[in-house]
Amino acid sequence: MKLDLRRENLLKHTFVDFQQMSDFVQHPLILERAQGLYYWDIEGRRYFDAIGGIFVATLGHGHPRLLEAMRRQMEKMTFAPPLHGIAGVTLDFVEKLGSVAPGNLRYVKSFSGGSEATEAAMKFVRQYFKQTGHPGKYKFISRYQGYHGGTAGAMSASGTGARKTPFEPHMGGYLKVFPPTYYRGRFSSWEECNRFAAQAVEDVILHEDPETVAGVILEPVGNTGGIITPTPEYFRMLREICTRHNVMLIFDEVITGFGKTGAMFAAQTFGVTPDIICCGKGLSSGVVPIGAMIAREDMADAFWGRPEDQVQFAHGHTFAGNPLASAVGMAVIDEITENALDRQANGLGEYLAARLEGLKKYGVVREVRGKGILRGVELVRDTDSLEPFPELGTAMRRTALRNGLILRVDPTWFAVAPALIATEADLDEMCALIEKSLVEALEQVRGEACLTIDTCRSTAVEA
Ligand SMILES: Cc1ncc(COP(=O)(O)O)c(C=O)c1O
């Protein structure tokens, strides 16, 4: 993409997330429009959106039902802070979201994004324990490689080094355990490894003193870290451990929510009901910023008292419970449930996984992981050493863009999560682009590696 001088200068006045701008300006991507499974840039080039923007466009971009819901709500009311009152449409949304959540998760508070949801959930849990006779319970256990958002508490719970270290020290009371993938080389079976990783959570609770531990927060399928997909037993064990020690189990379903894993929430996919679910992203399919926490109904009782008791949830955001977001959120849920798009993601996911497994023939894929249409591929130098291959991912990020493909590359793995409306033919198109981009990246990396070795050799001979 060629940039004019104005845009080139403007890029010096802003940042894109988590990218070095000096590198970005060499390979800029400036988008202009989106429809269905595609984006178009300002030069009119089309890109297959293999990741729903960033795990957001669950129903594709510009879904007519969602735009219509937004339009209708815009004509009535676009803003009502959840302070003097609550928008009627937001109350409807509370009912709708509660109706598709597992168990008795019916207490809904909606926000403008995922970080607000995870942050609020952790505040909610701390206040809950203060008001239910356990004021010493304040610590949270989360996982290395996990990500729960960019705000202070959410970041403290996150375990992604590079996104955290510039801002240290973080908030106190946040402890970490490793996800099961971290230990997988040390066990003879994946199941055994998951058992060990789940048991480690209880070991930490016991060593910290259960009366100080408030919650365990994790992504059921961990994006950062490479679509980490534990066994159902891992979740069952965590559920039992948390119940045993009166610790709240919080599922951060900001990515996994709304059909991607084959059910409305990954909690349902894995057959485990947490105490709180945090969600966002796919809940609006990208039409409007949104986030929400859904807590056990009985937890909310602890916040219900006389005005002089001051037990109300001491938390709020100006744009929370936004009427436009509520209208769109309800339309997303209706579209998924009426068309069983979540269940459909199971079959599509199997098809997608089989196609991605086919990439193993290049000898640089360790594993294809995930559930439903949320899938990740781990890249290695070779399948004997299993050494990570970050150069390959870095090269693939560029070849993919050149080939008109947007996906998430980290760079030791890549992830895809196409919209639930994708057909097998769409997945074929996407996988062909993935394969082309991988092969070109491999050629580049291996070519460059040879070039470097040759250059080194000739320099050595000359010396
Ligand atoms: C699992 C998870 N939780 C929370 C967040 C934060 O959401 P947001 O960026 O909407 O604040 C993200 C964002 O990527 C996420 O992936």
Side-chain angles (χ1 to χ4, degrees), residues 112-116 118 147-150 219 223 252 254-255 281 290:
S112 307
S115 306
E116 284 186 9
T118 53
Y147 183 69
H148 302 291
E219 301 157 75
N223 166 43
D252 177 347
V254 169
I255 285 180
K281 292 191 188 270
I290 199 163

Side-chain angles (χ1 to χ4, degrees), residues 12 14 83 91 126 286 302 304 352 354 379:
K12 293 184 182 137
T14 189
L83 181 70
L91 215 43
R126 279 190 176 171
W304 189 273
L352 173 57
L379 302 171

Side-chain angles (χ1 to χ4, degrees), residues 360-418:
K360 284 189 170 163
K361 67 179 178 223
Y362 296 106
V364 289
V365 169
R366 178 176 185 171
E367 254 174 4
V368 176
R369 298 191 283 263
K371 279 272 172 205
I373 49 92
L374 173 59
R375 299 281 166 172
V377 174
E378 185 177 346
L379 302 171
V380 286
R381 224 163 274 282
D382 58 76
T383 48
D384 291 329
S385 75
L386 299 178
E387 244 185 76
F389 202 174
E391 305 93 299
L392 179 61
T394 303
M396 191 175 167
R397 206 178 270 154
R398 304 235 166 94
T399 53
L401 272 187
R402 260 206 309 275
N403 289 325
L405 172 70
I406 294 179
L407 75 175
R408 169 95 158 87
V409 188
D410 200 288
T412 55
W413 50 271
F414 69 83
V416 293

Side-chain angles (χ1 to χ4, degrees), residues 35-58:
Q35 186 61 52
L37 296 166
Y38 299 97
Y39 274 114
W40 284 263
D41 70 18
I42 50 169
E43 290 176 347
R45 280 197 73 217
R46 196 177 80 160
Y47 299 81
F48 193 107
D49 182 7
I51 196 82
I54 187 67
F55 304 106
V56 170
T58 334

Side-chain angles (χ1 to χ4, degrees), residues 35-38 48-52 57-61 63 259-260 285 335 339-352 372-374 416-431:
Q35 186 61 52
L37 296 166
Y38 299 97
F48 193 107
D49 182 7
I51 196 82
T58 334
L59 301 177
H61 296 279
H63 193 287
K260 290 193 195 77
S285 196
E335 183 66 14
N339 298 294
L341 293 176
D342 48 352
R343 269 177 279 138
Q344 192 174 296
N346 279 316
L348 274 177
E350 292 306 313
Y351 185 78
L352 173 57
I373 49 92
L374 173 59
V416 293
L420 302 173
I421 54 161
T423 61
E424 286 188 1
D426 293 324
L427 298 184
D428 286 343
E429 181 186 339
M430 183 183 89
C431 289

Side-chain angles (χ1 to χ4, degrees), residues 5-71:
L5 205 56
R6 178 180 156 270
R7 282 196 166 111
E8 202 176 313
N9 281 329
L10 281 173
L11 282 177
K12 293 184 182 137
H13 294 109
T14 189
F15 303 111
V16 293
D17 294 357
F18 307 116
Q19 276 198 57
Q20 175 47 247
M21 290 306 283
S22 67
D23 187 46
F24 179 77
V25 292
Q26 305 299 318
H27 315 273
L29 174 66
I30 305 182
L31 298 165
E32 184 149 274
R33 81 189 166 90
Q35 186 61 52
L37 296 166
Y38 299 97
Y39 274 114
W40 284 263
D41 70 18
I42 50 169
E43 290 176 347
R45 280 197 73 217
R46 196 177 80 160
Y47 299 81
F48 193 107
D49 182 7
I51 196 82
I54 187 67
F55 304 106
V56 170
T58 334
L59 301 177
H61 296 279
H63 193 287
R65 181 172 188 167
L66 310 187
L67 298 186
E68 183 52 28
M70 175 101 160
R71 225 175 271 123

